[in-house]
Amino acid sequence: PSGEANPRGKAALMKALEIDDSLAEAHASLASIMFWYEWDWAGAERGFKRAIELNPNYARAHHWYADILMTLGRFDEALREIHEARQLAPLSPIVAMTAAELFHFSRQYDRAIEEYGKALQVDPDFALTHLWLGSAYLEKGMADAAITEIKRSIALSGNDSFYVAALGRAYAVTGRKDEARQVLRDLEGRSKRTFVSPVGVALIHAALSQKDEAFEWLEKAFEERTEWMVYLKIDPPFDPLRPEPRFKDLVRRVG
């Protein structure tokens, strides 16, 4: 869980910066914790900028900076940063995938699908790219293609719970509600033995129009400071919940 992992990471990074404050990698990694866990948006942006200042050729700093800009809806700035990252790391599958995500989260699904295809040329077996390609197909109403890609991502990820949750949501969105409920039961059982992202469970409930249950799991995600909460503002699966005052309050509390 984020509440256990990130404080340990932050302590190590602070020690690293005590030894050498000029480490771009440490500044970028510390900024990533400020972003994904602490939700300190201004502090994270300063940290990514500092990392880039120290090492303009550090692709990961540009990549992560693009991520935070994307979550804030600053897509044009994010596009410039991910372009820098791609120039520096043309064979990075996650950088190529993030370039496609920018179009996905700005609702340009056809362009996103095209860019996910390019990302799969970099690494045909990168699970995250298959997951987001499937999600883009789902937003386009291409049910069979969506489920095929998401199942592929599950196999490549070793049955990771977040990927399984995406399949549950796909089943719910495409009317296969019994299968969606079975995925929910499986994940809730799994959560008693190991970490399961509450956001993934929440999104299945949202797709099943079970809003109260969705918000219960989102509150759990808020309490645990689950990473995916930073995408509340832009991620399409949250759209069914956006009109709700509870959702607006959640976005406000995440910052």
Side-chain angles (χ1 to χ4, degrees), residues 70-73 75 104-107 230-236 238-239 242:
M70 179 172 65
T71 63
L72 292 167
F75 293 109
H104 188 150
F105 288 137
S106 58
R107 277 46 174 190
V230 301
Y231 293 97
L232 281 177
K233 184 176 179 177
I234 59 169
D235 198 8
F238 291 115
D239 287 353
R242 289 191 196 284

Side-chain angles (χ1 to χ4, degrees), residues 8 19 23 37 53 60 63 85 94 105 137 149 169 178-180 191 201 219 254:
R8 296 182 195 177
I19 296 167
L23 288 171
Y37 175 66
E53 178 186 7
R60 183 167 291 178
H63 170 212
I94 197 165
F105 288 137
Y137 281 140
E149 288 296 330
R169 175 180 174 262
D178 287 343
E179 289 163 281
S191 71
V201 177
E219 286 296 336
V254 172

Side-chain angles (χ1 to χ4, degrees), residues 95-149:
V95 168
M97 183 214 69
T98 302
E101 273 186 316
L102 280 166
F103 297 103
H104 188 150
F105 288 137
S106 58
R107 277 46 174 190
Q108 299 178 62
Y109 299 120
D110 289 332
R111 180 67 188 277
I113 289 166
E114 178 186 341
E115 293 295 327
Y116 286 130
K118 293 177 184 176
L120 287 173
Q121 291 173 16
V122 175
D123 184 348
D125 293 328
F126 193 58
L128 265 175
T129 305
H130 286 281
L131 177 68
W132 294 121
L133 176 57
S135 299
Y137 281 140
L138 192 62
E139 300 304 332
K140 288 272 294 177
M142 300 166 66
D144 291 343
I147 288 171
T148 295
E149 288 296 330

Side-chain angles (χ1 to χ4, degrees), residues 12-14 16-17 20-32 51 58:
L13 288 162
M14 296 300 290
L17 289 170
D20 185 352
D21 189 55
S22 69
L23 288 171
E25 296 87 349
H27 281 284
S29 293
L30 183 59
S32 76
Y58 184 36

